[in-house]
Amino acid sequence: MIQCKTLIPLQELDLKIDAANGQIEEKKQKAARMHSEIESDAALLEKKQALLKKIQLRRRAAETEFDSLNTAIKSSQVKLESAGMPPAAYSALERELTTQKSKASEIESKILEDMEKIETLETDIAKGEKVVAGRREHLAQVKSRISDEVLVVKREIEELKTRRGQCSLTIETGILEKYEELRQKRRGQVLFPFENSSCPACGMGLPAGFMSSIVTHDGAESCSNCGALLYWTGVRD
């Protein structure tokens, strides 16, 4: 049995400190998630910008090739219209001209497709840049607000720690050491009030001998399954 009456107010302070630290961590995590989402969007934007440059270069190369083909087509047409060309050479030049026109048409279609892609990407990128810039500005405001809120919570924690220090002075050394050991091990609540035959910490059923013993005193006893300190708050015979 452990006398736990002096530990209850100490644990209440510890749980308040834990909750306050949890608030700070939650606020920091919120800012971290926002930052991660923004950076993810920015990375996607960079990929779109790289794709845009690639398509622009491809279009320029295609336009250069298209211009060269058009020059070749005009030259072939001039040759076809000239007099004195042998029939075989005429037929070969005619086939070459057909091939050139087909290839020029194919390249022109690709150029038009790329122009549509470029227009879509430029619109999307411009919109994305505005969104990312706006979200970064909002994140800066959120971080500033969180920084102010964290300072307030830290002051509350310091006050709670001062009260905890004062409270710990009233507790017997052995009992305090046992509590601190269990708190370190469980990383949270150590003392649990209960009023039925199940451990409120782990949910396991408590042996009849444990129940017979604990209802006879005001102290706490350890759950054989999880080690939590349990004290009875139910009806006593």
Side-chain angles (χ1 to χ4, degrees):
M1 181 188 74
I2 296 175
Q3 292 297 332
C4 63
K5 286 186 177 180
T6 55
L7 289 176
I8 293 172
L10 183 71
Q11 176 172 266
E12 288 176 354
L13 290 169
D14 279 336
L15 293 178
K16 286 179 181 179
I17 291 170
D18 289 345
N21 281 320
Q23 287 179 29
I24 291 174
E25 184 60 26
E26 185 179 346
K27 292 176 188 296
K28 289 180 177 179
Q29 287 297 322
K30 177 183 177 181
R33 285 193 300 270
M34 288 179 67
H35 180 266
S36 178
E37 290 169 1
I38 291 169
E39 291 308 306
S40 178
D41 288 346
L44 180 60
L45 198 56
E46 286 180 3
K47 289 181 180 179
K48 288 181 179 179
Q49 289 167 334
L51 178 60
L52 174 61
K53 289 179 181 178
K54 181 180 178 180
I55 295 173
Q56 286 172 331
L57 288 171
R58 186 174 69 194
R59 188 197 69 180
R60 283 197 287 270
E63 286 173 341
T64 299
E65 187 178 1
F66 182 72
D67 290 341
S68 297
L69 274 170
N70 276 334
T71 299
I73 288 168
K74 289 176 182 177
S75 176
S76 296
Q77 287 173 332
V78 169
K79 289 178 182 178
L80 283 174
E81 292 170 1
S82 63
M85 182 177 290
Y90 185 92
S91 296
L93 187 57
E94 201 171 38
R95 287 194 297 273
E96 183 182 349
L97 180 60
T98 300
T99 300
Q100 289 172 337
K101 286 182 176 180
S102 176
K103 190 173 182 181
S105 177
E106 182 182 333
I107 291 173
E108 186 178 27
S109 295
K110 289 181 179 179
I111 289 171
L112 291 173
E113 287 176 7
D114 281 347
M115 287 176 68
E116 289 180 4
K117 290 176 182 177
I118 287 168
E119 185 179 354
T120 300
L121 277 170
E122 286 177 338
T123 301
D124 196 23
I125 288 169
K127 181 181 177 181
E129 286 174 337
K130 288 181 180 178
V131 170
V132 169
R135 293 185 68 188
R136 279 182 171 150
E137 184 178 345
H138 179 238
L139 176 59
Q141 294 171 353
V142 169
K143 283 184 173 180
S144 177
R145 186 179 71 246
I146 286 175
S147 179
D148 292 340
E149 291 172 351
V150 166
L151 285 176
V152 172
V153 177
K154 282 183 175 180
R155 284 196 289 268
E156 292 174 357
I157 290 173
E158 289 306 311
E159 182 184 342
L160 288 167
K161 284 182 175 179
T162 299
R163 290 168 57 191
R164 185 193 191 278
Q166 294 169 346
C167 183
S168 66
L169 294 175
T170 65
I171 303 172
E172 185 182 327
T173 302
I175 294 175
L176 180 61
E177 287 176 352
K178 176 68 174 176
Y179 169 80
E180 297 287 14
E181 179 186 342
L182 285 170
R183 179 166 166 76
Q184 183 68 25
K185 188 182 296 184
R186 294 183 59 80
R187 296 187 180 277
Q189 188 170 351
V190 172
L191 285 160
F192 291 84
F194 78 112
E195 51 187 34
N196 54 49
S197 59
S198 296
C199 173
C202 67
M204 293 294 290
L206 298 167
F210 180 94
M211 294 299 300
S212 297
S213 171
I214 202 163
V215 297
T216 62
H217 59 75
D218 295 329
E221 295 189 21
S222 299
C223 169
S224 59
N225 182 60
C226 68
L229 293 178
L230 311 181
Y231 61 95
W232 182 253
T233 56
V235 177
R236 299 180 191 273
D237 293 335

